[in-house]
Amino acid sequence: MTSILDAFSDHSSPLQLQEELGAGATVKVVAALQVSMQRKVAVKVFAPPGPAKESKFGRASEAVARQRFVTVSQAIGHVQHPNVAAVFDVGTLNGHAYRIQELIDGHTLDRFISEAGKLEPRRAARMAAGLA
């Protein structure tokens, strides 16, 4: 299987990758240009760290985890809410599952907290309520 960045760098890719925005336990997030729409988007690419780990649901294979990523991405695509990034496309390219979604301009919660310091409980509760 090709590397994640190589998977999207050939001429047939629907995306022009711009910069990596972050990574989580199973995804990498990259800012990109969706060529067909000429819009900036966020691309979440399924990128497991290695062999699947034990969980309360039992040992999941990478293929099962990849399918779960696709299924969850499709479900999110049906949600329309101001606090949920819109999903534009879900697919697999060169063996890598991905989700193209709305690029939200702003900062991560980690960065916000590191800059703002400890949040007053009422403010934290108001922010959390906005996420629900």
Side-chain angles (χ1 to χ4, degrees), residues 81 83 125-132:
H81 189 279
N83 293 343
R126 281 194 309 271
M127 290 175 68
L131 300 174

Side-chain angles (χ1 to χ4, degrees), residues 108-119 127:
T108 65
L109 181 59
D110 283 341
R111 180 174 169 185
F112 175 80
I113 291 172
S114 70
E115 291 175 358
K118 186 176 178 181
L119 296 178
M127 290 175 68

Side-chain angles (χ1 to χ4, degrees), residues 8 14-15 43-46 66-67 69-71 73-74 87-101:
F8 292 96
L15 306 166
V43 183
K44 286 194 173 184
V45 181
F46 177 74
R66 181 183 300 108
Q67 184 55 50
F69 172 84
V70 170
T71 301
S73 296
Q74 290 169 333
V87 173
F88 303 130
D89 193 19
V90 176
T92 303
L93 182 64
N94 296 330
H96 295 282
Y98 67 89
R99 171 171 73 226
I100 301 173
Q101 65 182 53

Side-chain angles (χ1 to χ4, degrees), residues 37-59:
M37 298 298 290
Q38 290 296 298
R39 65 178 163 199
K40 286 188 174 186
V41 296
V43 183
K44 286 194 173 184
V45 181
F46 177 74
K53 297 180 180 176
E54 287 292 324
S55 74
K56 64 182 179 181
F57 303 110
R59 186 166 177 79

